[in-house]
Amino acid sequence: MILIRKQAEPHKWTLYRNTPGVIYQSQNYLTDSLLKEQGYICAYCMRRIPCKDSLSNEDHHIEHIKPRSKYPKNQLDYKNIVIVCPGHMGDKDHCDRSKGDKEIHLSPLNSSVIQTISYENGLIKSSNFVWNSELNDILNLNDKVLVKARMTTLQAIITQLNTRKKKNRWTKDMLQKYLDKYQEKHSDHGKKKYYPYCGIVIYYLQKKLTKM
C-alpha cells in the first residue's frame, strides 16, 4: 500500500455532484480519472488494474472508503472514492469485495497510515493495532495469493540487483536508482503507471538504504 495523492476531481464530476437530487452512479470519466491518479494499481492490494478474476466479469470496482450505506452524504465526495481490483484472486475475497459496507479507519489517502506499514516475508503489516486488524480481518490483504505475488515481485528485484553488484555488493546508487524507479510512475503505452506491488519494493529498498 502506498499513499494516494488525490488530485482535483474531474469537471464533469463536479457538475454531476452539484446536480440537485443526484445519487452516486459510476461514470466512465470518473473511472479514467481514478486510474490515472492511482497509476493503474489497486488502492488496497496494489494489483494492476484493470484486471479480471475468474469469478467476475468486472475488471475494477469503484470503492467508497466510507461506505455509502453508512455515510450517504459522502457518496459523491471525490476524496472518499478510490479504484480497486475485482477482489477475488485467491480462495477468498479481498479488498473492497471483502470489506463490503464495513467501516475502516485504514485509508491509503492518509500519510500517517502509510508510515505504519511494513512487510515481512510478503505479509503486509501495520504497527497500529486497529489498522493491522483491518488489513487482515476486513480487507484480507494477507490472502496467500497476494502474499505470494508480493514476494515474487520482491524476489525479482533482488535478483536484478544481484546481477548488478559491484565488488560483490550493492551500492547506494544502485538501491536509490531502483527506489526512484518504483516510487514514480513510468510510461507504458502512453499511460503513467506504478509497478504492481511496488509498496513492498519501496519498503525493502528504503530499509536497505537506511543501513548503508
Side-chain angles (χ1 to χ4, degrees), residues 12-77:
K12 288 183 179 179
W13 185 252
T14 304
L15 296 176
Y16 179 81
R17 179 171 53 80
N18 289 326
T19 303
V22 74
I23 61 173
Y24 171 79
Q25 290 184 343
S26 180
Q27 309 289 333
N28 289 337
Y29 59 79
L30 179 63
T31 298
D32 291 342
S33 178
L34 294 170
L35 284 170
K36 291 176 183 177
E37 186 172 78
Q38 293 175 209
Y40 296 83
I41 59 173
C42 174
Y44 293 138
C45 75
M46 306 191 72
R47 291 171 64 193
R48 169 69 69 229
I49 47 175
C51 60
K52 284 194 176 182
D53 293 333
S54 58
L55 297 182
S56 172
N57 289 323
E58 300 170 306
D59 61 12
H60 72 278
H61 287 165
I62 301 296
E63 155 74 342
H64 289 73
I65 298 173
K66 292 183 177 180
R68 284 181 284 159
S69 60
K70 297 179 180 179
Y71 296 89
K73 291 183 179 180
N74 294 98
Q75 65 177 304
L76 301 175
D77 182 359

Side-chain angles (χ1 to χ4, degrees), residues 195-207:
Y195 288 98
Y197 308 111
C198 58
I200 189 171
V201 177
I202 293 169
Y203 173 78
Y204 177 84
L205 294 175
Q206 286 177 335
K207 191 174 180 181

Side-chain angles (χ1 to χ4, degrees), residues 160-171:
Q160 290 179 34
L161 285 167
N162 283 336
T163 64
R164 292 165 170 77
K165 280 183 177 179
K166 296 183 178 180
K167 296 182 180 180
N168 205 35
R169 67 184 181 89
W170 296 350
T171 67

